[in-house]
Amino acid sequence: GAAKMSDDEFMASGGEDEEYDFEYESDDADEPDADLENQYYNAKSLKEDKPLDAIASFEKIVQQEQPKGEWGFKSLKQILKVHFRLKNYHKMMEKYQLLLSYMKVIARNHWERSIDSILEYVSSAHQTDLAQDFYEATLGALQDTKNDRTWFKTNIKLGKMYLDRGEFARLTRILKDLRRSCQSDDGTDDQKKGTQLLEVYALEIQMYTAQKNTKKLKALYEHSLKIKSAIPHPLILGIIRECGGKMHLVEEQWSKAYEDFFEAFKSYDEAGNSKKVTCLKYLVLANMLMKSSVDPFDAQESKPYKNDPQLLAMTNLVSAYQAKDIREFERILATNRQSIMDDPFIREYIQDLLKNIRTEVMIALIRPYTRVRIPFISKELNVPEADVETLLVACILDGTIDGHIDQVDRLLILRREPAADRFTALQGWTREIDALYRSIVHKIM
C-alpha cells in the first residue's frame, strides 16, 4: 500500500503543485506513484549489502513506470551508481543511454544536474575509454536540443580528457566548436559570454603549453588577460596564470614568471585547489632564477606555507643557492628527489640552477690562479671532470673566462685573471637596461 508521509516530509518535499494533486486526484490515480516510491526506497535500502538485488528492484521500477517519469529516472541513476561501485563498466553504458532518453520528461535543471554529477564520478574513475564513451553519448543526445549549458560543460570535460591523453588533433576539433559557441553571428567573440570564453582559452592555453608552442601561447595568454566582461572561476584564472608563468620561464623573463606564479597561487588558493602548492614551488624556482634575495614567503598570502613539508625542500634549496653552498644544494636535491625532481617542469630548470651555482663557485675558485688543474676543480665542485670541462668550455665561449684548456696535462691555462669582473659588469649593465626598458614601457602604458 501507499507509504504515509509525515507532515514534515510533505512540507520538506513540498512544491506548490503537490497541493493541487491532493485536491483533485482520486486515490486510485495516486496509488501507483506511491507504490513506486515505496519500491524505490526499499531497493535503495538493499544497495549496500545486496547490490544485485537492488539492481533487480530498480530495474522493475523502470519497467513499471508508464509513462516514463521521476521514479524511473531516479532508479536508473541508482543502477548506474551500483554498477559503478561494482566496476561493471560495460553495463553502465546501456543504462546511461536509457537515462539520457528521459531528457524530455524530467525538469531541465534536475536533468542537467544529474548528468553533470554522473559525468563527474565517471571521470573520477580514471577509466579514460569509459569516460570518453559517456561524454560522446551525452553530446549525441544533446545534438537536437538547445541545451547549451550541458553541451558546453560536456565538451570542456571531453577536451580536458584529450589534453591529459595528449590527443591534440581531437582537442583542436573540440576547441573549434567551443570557440564557435562563444561567438556572435558576425564571428567576433561574444563579450556576454566572457566567462565561458575564458574556460575555452584556459583549455587552449594548456594545449599550447603541452605542445611548447610559445608563439600561439603568448598571443592567446595576452588576449585572455584583456577579457574584462567575465566573472571567471578562480580555478580558470589559476590555470591561465600558471601557463603564463611557464611561458615566461621559457622566455627567461624571470620576474614576469614570478608575478604570474604568484597570481596563479592566489587564484588556486581561493579555489581551494591543491595546485597552489605546485605554484609556490614554481614561484620559489623563478625566485632562484632571478637570483633574487627577496624571500618569496614574506608575502602575507604565502607566509603560512613557509613550513609546508612539500615546500621545505624548495625553501632549503633557495637558502643553499643564495649561500652558493654547492654541497648543501646537491645534498638537498639528493635527499628530496621525489618532491623536487618528480615535477618534469622543475627538473628542467634544476639543471640550469646547478649550472649557475657551479659556474659562480668555479669562477670564484679559479680567480687567484693563472694555471689550474682540472682534477682540482672537479674535486672542489664535487662533479666529474667531463662536467667541469663542459662548464669551462661554456665560460670560455661566452667570454666569462679568458683562457684555454690543455687536454694533455688536464690544465686550464688563463691568459690573464678570469673575466669575472667583466662578467659582473655585464650583469649590472643588463640589469640597468632591463630597468630602463621597464620604466619606458611603464610610461607608455
Side-chain angles (χ1 to χ4, degrees):
K4 289 282 172 273
M5 263 188 158
S6 70
D7 283 348
D8 314 348
E9 271 184 284
F10 175 55
M11 292 307 287
S13 68
E16 297 73 54
D17 43 26
E18 289 184 5
E19 297 171 19
Y20 303 112
D21 294 349
F22 275 77
E23 281 175 34
Y24 299 118
E25 286 189 10
S26 70
D27 283 350
D28 304 340
D30 210 30
E31 197 68 34
D33 218 32
D35 190 39
L36 289 174
E37 182 181 351
N38 246 350
Q39 286 183 47
Y40 175 79
Y41 286 109
N42 286 339
K44 215 171 160 185
S45 68
L46 298 171
K47 250 171 68 174
E48 295 305 316
D49 304 325
K50 299 182 175 171
L52 296 177
D53 292 352
I55 289 177
S57 304
F58 285 129
E59 294 270 16
K60 226 164 98 189
I61 298 170
V62 176
Q63 286 154 12
Q64 276 180 7
E65 187 179 38
Q66 292 303 334
K68 285 180 180 174
E70 187 69 32
W71 296 110
F73 184 68
K74 281 182 159 181
S75 298
L76 281 167
K77 283 201 304 188
Q78 294 295 345
I79 293 170
L80 279 172
K81 279 185 184 164
V82 179
H83 278 318
F84 185 71
R85 209 178 73 225
L86 300 174
K87 297 190 166 52
N88 291 338
Y89 299 133
H90 57 289
K91 290 198 175 147
M92 288 177 70
M93 199 59 223
E94 60 179 282
K95 296 302 164 199
Y96 186 61
Q97 294 279 17
L98 188 53
L99 183 100
L100 288 170
S101 70
Y102 278 66
M103 191 189 324
K104 304 268 195 299
V105 293
I106 297 296
R108 178 168 171 154
N109 258 350
H110 179 39
W111 188 85
E112 274 181 12
R113 275 203 312 275
S114 302
I115 295 299
D116 214 41
S117 77
I118 290 166
L119 293 180
E120 275 305 313
Y121 70 72
V122 165
S123 55
S124 72
H126 304 299
Q127 298 280 329
T128 45
D129 292 341
L130 174 79
Q132 184 174 332
D133 290 346
F134 265 71
Y135 297 147
E136 284 169 355
T138 310
L139 292 170
L142 290 168
Q143 230 157 15
D144 316 321
T145 65
K146 273 274 152 258
N147 196 322
D148 298 341
R149 216 165 50 194
T150 307
W151 177 90
F152 184 85
K153 278 178 160 176
T154 308
N155 265 310
I156 289 276
K157 286 193 174 92
L158 186 56
K160 279 181 187 154
M161 201 183 72
Y162 287 149
L163 177 71
D164 293 341
R165 289 164 68 157
E167 296 184 21
F168 299 127
R170 285 174 153 183
L171 175 53
T172 306
R173 279 203 301 277
I174 282 189
L175 284 167
K176 262 202 187 100
D177 290 344
L178 284 165
R179 267 289 205 34
R180 212 174 292 124
S181 77
C182 296
Q183 286 170 348
S184 311
D185 296 337
D186 62 359
T188 57
D189 289 344
D190 181 353
Q191 291 308 316
K192 290 196 292 296
K193 291 189 172 171
T195 306
Q196 287 101 303
L197 205 56
L198 273 184
E199 266 195 79
V200 179
Y201 284 172
L203 195 53
E204 198 166 345
I205 282 171
Q206 284 170 282
M207 177 176 82
Y208 294 142
T209 303
Q211 293 173 313
K212 296 187 163 52
N213 185 339
T214 311
K215 195 174 159 207
K216 283 189 168 174
L217 170 59
K218 197 172 180 61
L220 193 58
Y221 167 77
E222 284 166 359
H223 186 57
S224 70
L225 293 186
K226 292 192 184 99
I227 294 182
K228 294 285 178 267
S229 64
I231 307 167
H233 191 289
L235 179 65
I236 297 299
L237 280 187
I239 290 170
I240 291 174
R241 294 308 288 251
E242 181 191 339
C243 290
K246 287 178 172 177
M247 170 186 84
H248 285 129
L249 274 195
V250 171
E251 294 177 335
E252 298 189 2
Q253 299 197 14
W254 314 131
S255 53
K256 281 186 176 172
Y258 185 90
E259 185 191 330
D260 272 331
F261 289 135
F262 192 61
E263 289 303 321
F265 157 70
K266 287 195 294 191
S267 292
Y268 284 140
D269 196 24
E270 189 188 332
N273 188 289
S274 60
K275 283 176 88 173
K276 61 187 174 187
V277 177
T278 310
C279 274
L280 275 183
K281 281 188 192 175
Y282 296 162
L283 183 73
V284 170
L285 177 69
N287 195 54
M288 282 190 271
L289 291 163
M290 275 161 80
K291 303 194 167 103
S292 160
S293 54
V294 176
D295 183 349
F297 294 96
D298 276 350
Q300 147 198 3
E301 293 93 340
S302 53
K303 199 175 255 144
Y305 297 90
K306 192 175 176 100
N307 296 316
D308 183 296
Q310 286 190 69
L311 285 166
L312 267 180
M314 287 299 280
T315 47
N316 294 337
L317 209 56
V318 174
S319 312
Y321 187 77
Q322 288 173 343
K324 302 202 185 353
D325 184 340
I326 281 195
R327 282 193 163 67
E328 178 60 7
F329 190 88
E330 292 186 330
R331 188 194 65 75
I332 295 165
L333 278 183
T335 48
N336 298 281
R337 276 215 104 59
Q338 215 177 348
S339 68
I340 297 174
M341 298 300 251
D342 268 6
D343 185 318
F345 186 70
I346 292 180
R347 197 166 54 233
E348 216 173 293
Y349 287 92
I350 291 292
Q351 298 312 318
D352 285 356
L353 292 175
L354 265 173
K355 197 167 125 250
N356 281 357
I357 194 170
R358 283 172 180 163
T359 305
E360 287 184 28
V361 171
M362 183 173 74
I363 287 170
L365 180 70
I366 63 181
R367 185 173 272 138
Y369 306 105
T370 50
R371 299 160 74 80
V372 193
R373 291 185 60 248
I374 288 174
F376 165 72
I377 303 174
S378 159
K379 189 166 142 287
E380 289 297 310
L381 286 188
N382 193 26
V383 296
E385 289 185 28
D387 293 359
V388 171
E389 273 192 54
T390 308
L391 279 179
L392 286 171
V393 168
C395 288
I396 290 168
L397 287 176
D398 71 10
T400 311
I401 291 174
D402 191 2
H404 68 277
I405 294 169
D406 175 346
Q407 290 285 4
V408 181
D409 292 328
R410 317 289 302 127
L411 273 178
L412 166 69
I413 299 167
L414 296 157
R415 276 192 265 284
R416 53 186 133 77
E417 203 177 327
D421 304 332
R422 186 167 67 202
F423 179 61
T424 319
L426 259 174
Q427 272 186 319
W429 190 55
T430 312
R431 268 198 300 272
E432 278 170 38
I433 286 181
D434 197 37
L436 184 68
Y437 167 74
R438 244 178 258 165
S439 69
I440 292 170
V441 169
H442 190 68
K443 279 176 191 151
I444 295 169
M445 301 297 209

